[in-house]
């Protein structure tokens, strides 16, 4: 144990000390991995090896394992923050603008941005900042990712504790959950917060609301006629052969992969049920995708007989549909094509999330994108093998299987801005990490510690009573090292344009100071942003959101000196028109859209040389340009807050009556279920009969609102 602790300390020193000499300006399409020192990579490898050595001990050293997971978490998830002057991700700064708007106006405006249709997270952060007197959001943006990853571990450990697995499998799954989460959805965002709610939602269901009669499942084999015709004194002949052996592995009798449900009082279960409802409501007001996955997860667990709240999927679905219908009308009323355009188009949605991300990227960026796809595919394959290995041992891991498959139900919705594949990977990760750990450590229980001197391994300070687990630990070590280096490649592969420089923020402060009214920002793109759903890779509108408008200009790919379109659009903005560019945005256009590496430099030179344009601000990281003689018109007013943009239809009053009654009936039905024994569920029929017409009435109102308003 002392040797492992020293190895961890050495790994930390090797990882962090060489970072002082890193030159971020030398980054290319490979991102941060291209400038990280070799000693830093060696330090990461030593931390991985130390953790796997700890798994090789004969018993769990929980404190040492916990410290190692936390050390690796903060090392991998804060390396970029420690090197950069400002919090990363331009999108995080845009979220800061949404938070600032709510804190300043005490309302929302769904007409300004679709994210205002689900403002729960932004309002929550605005409230917290005001409550603690915090006015500078940059530190929160900077340290949100590692703190979010840390918070993810709490509900994930709650999920792991109910599983029938060895301590090595559970700790390796928790470790892998940290290393495999490279998707970058842990910054200050509604998705990160909603994912935390999703994990708690699942953790509560599998801990306290599973069936109490989970026992060995009987075989699903269909016997042939000749095998069923036998005398009462002789048993039927078991079919033999490779086919039946495989059939038995897949469909034969299995023991549940979860531990027995603990006995909890009705009062405690009612409190937990209300907590589930609160998670659903908050998640629905926070993010547009996660409530759908909550509904799908609860439905899957009910079908798999791992959740006894049979009415919960209907309750979550009604809450989700009602919020979308009544509270996000400003979004979908004018975007019916965008909302329903990808419905049922499984392959098209998948291809836009995977294939289209590689088509025009630079060779280095394309390799990073391909590596992301490879990692995701390998994880899915290994998770499948882990599931089969457990079934070979007679264990039925239904909870893990349901959580693995549920995210794929989103393929039939829409492409989600080209990020649907990332979201699927993100939500299947808890189950995938667990099943992969089963591939290496498939046993259901820990073997008793038996010390036999004849098979003892002596490696200096490392001694183990039995060595049967060491081949698995060695194999897991190889996989863990590959995953760690893969993380450093793909998590920070976009760092050339995901970092935010101080000048990037300053570039949007200057127009606010120089212009009293609306600010019209012109930004350049190699492709039509209206077709690809693009936005400027800059911290636009990080404050005074309502004063900014963003107008893209598709530039001449072959001639950076052609600024005709830019001048035309700047004049169309009136006296508040500016052209803004940043080095990060220029890197994005080069690495993802195929513009030349020096396109941004040449474009800046052409703008500075134009007699019609004056340079308002410029350094190597950002530049702001304005017209020397801007037109007086148009001079649009700054829009006033419009709120959620609620709208009514002829049937809306009826829906506002049916909806709370339906929710009350569904909740009363589940609360009553908690008091009944399994054989007494027939007493729920009156509530079921009452809920059915109310349900169809609410669905009819939702459909009528969609047709009449859109």
């Amino acid at each position: 144990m002392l040797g492992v602790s020293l190895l961890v300390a050495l790994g930390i020193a090797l990882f962090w000390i060489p970072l002082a000499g890193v030159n971020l300006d030398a980054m290319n399409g490979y991102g941060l991995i291209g400038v990280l020192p070799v000693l830093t990579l060696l330090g990461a490898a030593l931390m991985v090896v130390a953790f796997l050595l700890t798994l090789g001990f004969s018993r769990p050293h929980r404190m040492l394992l916990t410290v190692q997971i936390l050390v690796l978490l903060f090392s991998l998830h804060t390396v970029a923050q420690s090197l950069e002057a400002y919090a990363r991700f331009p999108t995080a700064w845009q979220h800061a603008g949404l938070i600032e708007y709510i804190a300043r106006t005490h309302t929302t405006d769904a007409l300004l941005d679709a994210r205002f249709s689900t403002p729960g997270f932004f309002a929550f952060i605005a409230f917290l900042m005001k409550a603690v007197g915090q006015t500078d959001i940059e530190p929160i943006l900077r340290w949100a990712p590692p703190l979010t990853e840390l918070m993810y571990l709490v509900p994930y450990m709650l999920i792991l504790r109910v599983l029938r697995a060895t301590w090595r499998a559970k700790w390796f799954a928790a470790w892998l959950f940290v290393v495999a989460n490279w998707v970058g959805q842990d910054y200050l965002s509604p998705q990160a917060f909603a994912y935390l709610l999703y994990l708690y939602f699942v953790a509560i269901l599998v801990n306290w609301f599973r069936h109490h009669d989970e026992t060995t499942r009987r075989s699903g084999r269909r016997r042939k006629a000749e095998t069923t015709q036998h005398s009462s004194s002789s048993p039927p002949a078991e079919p033999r052969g490779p086919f039946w052996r495989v059939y038995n592995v897949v469909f034969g009798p299995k023991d549940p992969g979860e531990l027995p449900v603990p006995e909890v009082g009705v009062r405690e279960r009612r409190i937990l049920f209300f907590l589930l409802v609160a998670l659903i409501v908050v998640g629905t007001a926070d993010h547009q995708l996660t409530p759908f996955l909550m509904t799908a997860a609860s439905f899957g667990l009910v079908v798999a007989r791992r959740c006894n709240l049979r009415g919960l999927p209907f309750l979550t679905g009604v809450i989700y549909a009602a919020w979308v219908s009544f509270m996000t009308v400003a979004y979908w009323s004018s975007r019916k094509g965008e909302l329903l355009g990808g419905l049922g188009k499984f392959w098209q949605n998948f291809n836009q999330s995977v294939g289209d991300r590689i088509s025009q990227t630079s060779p280095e960026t394309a390799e990073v994108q391909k590596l992301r796809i490879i990692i995701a595919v390998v994880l899915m394959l290994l998770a499948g093998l882990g599931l089969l290995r457990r079934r070979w041992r007679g264990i039925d891991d239904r909870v893990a299987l349901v959580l693995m498959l549920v995210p794929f139900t989103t393929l039939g919705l829409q492409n989600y801005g080209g990020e649907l594949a990332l979201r699927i990977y993100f939500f299947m990760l808890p189950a995938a990490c667990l099943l992969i750990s089963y591939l290496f450590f498939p046993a259901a229980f820990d073997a008793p510690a038996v010390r036999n001197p004849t098979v003892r391994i002596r490696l200096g300070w490392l001694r183990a009573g039995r060595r049967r687990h060491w081949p698995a630990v060695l194999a897991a070590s190889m996989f863990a090292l590959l995953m760690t280096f893969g993380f450093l490649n793909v998590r920070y592969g976009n760092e050339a344009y995901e970092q935010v420089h101080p000048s990037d923020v300053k570039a949007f402060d200057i127009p606010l100071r120089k212009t009293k009214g609306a600010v019209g920002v012109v930004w350049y793109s190699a492709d039509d942003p209206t077709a690809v759903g693009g936005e400027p890779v800059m911290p636009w509108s990080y404050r005074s959101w309502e004063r900014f408008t963003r107008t893209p200009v598709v530039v001449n790919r072959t001639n950076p000196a052609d600024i005709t379109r830019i001048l035309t659009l700047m004049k169309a903005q009136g006296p508040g028109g500016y052209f803004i560019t940043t080095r990060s945005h220029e890197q994005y256009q080069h690495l993802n859209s195929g513009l030349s590496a020096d396109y941004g430099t040449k474009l800046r030179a052409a703008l500075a040389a134009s007699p019609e344009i004056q340079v308002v601000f410029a350094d190597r990281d950002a530049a702001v340009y304005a017209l020397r003689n801007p037109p007086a018109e148009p001079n649009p007013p700054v829009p006033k807050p419009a709120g959620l943009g609620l709208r009514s239809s002829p049937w809306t009053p009826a829906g506002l009556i049916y909806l709370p009654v339906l929710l009350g009936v569904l909740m009363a039905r589940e609360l009553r279920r908690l008091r009944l024994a399994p054989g007494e569920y027939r007493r729920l029929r009156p509530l079921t009969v009452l809920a059915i017409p109310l349900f169809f009435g609410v669905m009819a109102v939702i459909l009528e609102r969609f047709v009449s308003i859109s």
Side-chain angles (χ1 to χ4, degrees):
M1 185 171 175
L2 177 61
V4 171
S5 301
L6 293 176
L7 194 61
V8 172
L10 178 60
I12 295 173
L14 290 178
F15 186 92
W16 287 104
I17 294 176
L19 292 178
V22 170
N23 179 19
L24 293 179
D25 293 338
M27 279 193 299
N28 53 20
Y30 291 112
L32 192 61
I33 192 69
V35 296
L36 286 180
V38 176
L39 288 178
T40 293
L41 302 180
L42 178 60
L46 290 180
M47 287 187 279
V48 173
V49 171
F51 180 83
L52 271 298
L53 287 176
T54 311
L55 287 185
F57 289 160
S58 58
R59 62 182 180 86
H61 294 271
R62 292 180 175 83
M63 182 61 68
L64 181 59
L65 290 166
T66 301
V67 169
Q68 290 183 87
I69 289 179
L70 296 181
V71 165
L72 192 68
L73 184 153
F74 282 97
S75 296
L76 295 182
H77 289 272
T78 64
V79 60
Q81 288 91 321
S82 66
L83 295 173
E84 298 170 7
Y86 266 26
R88 58 200 298 268
F89 288 134
T91 307
W93 287 87
Q94 295 154 22
H95 291 168
L98 297 170
I99 294 168
E100 186 269 344
Y101 183 90
I102 292 177
R104 175 167 43 86
T105 64
H106 308 290
T107 186
T108 65
D109 191 341
L111 300 179
L112 286 177
D113 193 273
R115 285 167 288 193
F116 272 132
S117 296
T118 50
F121 172 76
F122 305 121
F124 175 64
I125 299 299
F127 167 77
L128 286 182
M129 291 185 63
K130 186 174 182 180
V132 301
Q134 177 71 19
T135 57
D136 184 10
I137 200 172
E138 196 277 334
I140 302 176
L141 298 178
R142 176 184 290 270
W143 301 112
L147 293 178
T148 302
E149 291 289 338
L150 180 61
M151 288 189 290
Y152 288 162
L153 284 176
V154 177
Y156 191 55
M157 295 300 288
L158 282 176
I159 296 173
L160 293 178
R161 78 167 190 164
V162 305
L163 302 175
R164 199 185 299 266
T166 64
W167 67 268
R168 292 187 180 92
K170 293 180 180 180
W171 281 100
F172 186 63
W175 181 91
L176 188 59
F177 185 62
V178 171
V179 177
N181 190 3
W182 48 261
V183 294
Q185 293 298 319
D186 50 10
Y187 61 98
L188 194 70
S189 65
Q191 174 67 96
F193 183 64
Y195 188 69
L196 180 66
L197 300 180
Y198 172 81
L199 291 177
Y200 272 111
F201 180 80
V202 172
I204 293 174
L205 286 182
V206 300
N207 270 273
W208 293 286
F209 291 101
R210 285 187 291 117
H211 289 274
H212 286 270
D213 58 346
E214 295 172 5
T215 57
T216 301
R217 183 170 63 87
R218 291 178 297 176
S219 174
R221 179 188 306 158
R222 294 183 178 179
R223 302 181 185 277
K224 297 180 180 179
E226 58 268 20
T227 65
T228 58
Q229 297 173 359
H230 57 85
S231 63
S232 59
S233 59
S234 60
E238 288 288 337
R240 299 179 180 274
F243 171 78
W244 289 111
R245 284 198 295 270
V246 174
Y247 188 94
N248 237 2
V249 170
V250 179
F251 300 108
K254 300 287 184 295
D255 291 326
E258 301 80 29
L259 296 172
V261 183
E263 292 292 338
V264 181
V266 174
R267 180 182 178 184
E268 289 78 6
R269 285 159 63 84
R270 283 182 170 180
I271 294 173
L272 290 168
F273 174 76
F274 282 116
L275 181 57
L276 282 175
V277 175
L279 290 173
I280 297 164
V281 172
V282 174
T284 302
D286 172 73
H287 195 252
Q288 62 269 40
L289 179 64
T290 306
F292 173 83
L293 289 166
M294 285 182 172
T295 305
S298 60
F299 178 78
L301 292 173
V302 168
V303 172
R305 290 189 58 80
R306 289 300 182 265
C307 176
N308 59 8
L309 295 175
R310 297 180 183 177
L312 185 63
F314 295 97
L315 180 62
T316 59
V318 168
I319 293 174
Y320 181 42
W323 178 273
V324 172
S325 177
F326 289 93
M327 307 301 288
T328 68
V329 62
Y331 170 74
W332 57 258
S333 61
S334 59
R335 296 179 174 90
K336 187 165 64 174
E338 179 183 337
L339 189 65
L340 301 179
L343 198 62
K345 299 179 180 179
F346 297 93
W347 173 248
Q348 180 178 336
N349 293 338
F350 178 78
N351 187 57
Q352 289 179 348
S353 300
V354 179
D356 290 354
R357 287 179 164 264
I358 306 176
S359 57
Q360 290 188 337
T361 58
S362 68
E364 298 91 349
T365 305
E367 289 184 20
V368 173
Q369 299 285 14
K370 291 176 183 177
L371 182 58
R372 288 173 176 153
I373 297 172
I374 291 172
I375 291 176
V377 172
V378 168
L379 285 182
M380 286 189 287
L381 291 176
L382 293 181
L385 293 176
L387 180 69
L388 291 177
R389 190 175 188 192
R390 290 269 287 186
R391 295 192 74 82
W392 183 271
R393 285 176 168 255
I395 304 173
D396 183 15
D397 296 295
R398 295 194 195 181
V399 168
L401 180 60
V402 168
L403 298 182
M404 184 77 181
L405 296 179
V406 157
F408 290 92
T409 60
T410 59
L411 274 176
L413 296 178
Q414 56 174 311
N415 61 33
Y416 204 74
E419 293 186 352
L420 187 60
L422 285 176
R423 307 304 170 113
I424 292 175
Y425 176 87
F426 190 38
F427 279 90
M428 78 173 190
L429 202 55
C433 293
L434 173 64
L435 293 174
I436 292 172
S437 71
Y438 287 162
L439 178 63
F440 299 102
F441 310 106
F445 298 101
D446 293 308
V450 178
R451 294 193 174 275
N452 185 354
T454 61
V455 296
R456 180 172 294 173
I457 302 174
R458 296 184 180 275
L459 296 175
W461 44 267
L462 180 62
R463 295 180 175 86
R466 303 180 72 179
R467 61 181 180 182
R468 288 190 306 173
H469 58 270
W470 280 104
V473 171
L474 180 61
S477 301
M478 300 299 179
F479 173 72
L481 287 171
L482 292 176
M483 281 300 303
T484 303
F485 293 126
F487 176 95
L488 291 172
N489 273 278
V490 299
R491 174 64 187 263
Y492 303 109
N494 300 337
E495 203 60 28
Y497 55 83
E498 285 183 342
Q499 60 178 321
V500 175
H501 304 93
S503 295
D504 300 358
V505 178
K506 184 178 180 180
F508 288 88
D509 283 332
I510 292 174
L512 290 176
R513 292 198 305 264
K514 290 183 171 292
T515 306
K516 294 182 179 180
V519 177
V521 175
V522 179
W523 58 282
Y524 82 92
S525 174
D527 305 298
D528 183 6
T530 59
V532 299
E535 290 282 4
V537 186
M538 305 180 232
W540 48 268
S541 297
Y542 85 95
R543 65 185 181 93
S544 300
W545 185 283
E546 71 279 15
R547 291 182 59 188
F548 285 96
T549 59
R550 306 173 306 280
T551 304
V553 53
V554 180
V555 294
N556 188 330
R557 282 179 170 267
T558 59
N559 184 14
D562 182 7
I563 61 173
T564 306
R565 301 175 189 173
I566 296 176
L567 288 171
T568 301
L569 286 178
M570 289 180 69
K571 294 175 182 177
Q573 306 307 310
Y578 294 87
F579 180 85
I580 300 179
T581 182
T582 66
R583 184 154 58 102
S584 296
H585 180 75
E586 293 162 5
Q587 287 281 353
Y588 177 85
Q589 295 297 328
H590 163 56
L591 296 174
N592 286 275
S593 299
L595 294 182
S596 61
D598 60 349
Y599 192 96
T601 303
K602 293 180 178 179
L603 179 62
R604 290 197 197 192
L607 289 168
S610 172
E612 296 185 64
I613 291 180
Q614 63 172 331
V615 180
V616 180
F617 167 77
D619 63 10
R620 69 186 306 267
D621 293 327
V624 181
Y625 303 91
L627 294 172
R628 294 187 182 276
N629 298 299
E633 297 291 340
N635 190 12
V638 176
K640 301 295 183 182
L644 287 172
L646 305 180
R647 295 170 65 180
S648 183
S649 70
W651 290 9
T652 296
L656 294 177
I657 297 174
Y658 295 159
L659 178 61
V661 177
L662 173 61
L663 294 178
V665 170
L666 291 176
M667 292 180 64
R669 186 176 182 273
E670 297 310 306
L671 289 172
R672 181 166 176 76
R673 181 192 296 275
L674 297 178
R675 297 182 59 89
L676 299 177
E680 300 177 327
Y681 287 161
R682 62 183 181 277
R683 297 185 179 181
L684 298 175
R685 290 175 184 172
L687 291 174
T688 303
V689 172
L690 180 59
I692 290 175
L694 290 171
F695 175 79
F696 283 107
V698 170
M699 291 299 105
V701 172
I702 290 175
L703 180 61
E704 184 269 343
R705 282 177 54 82
F706 182 78
V707 172
S708 63
I709 295 178
S710 62

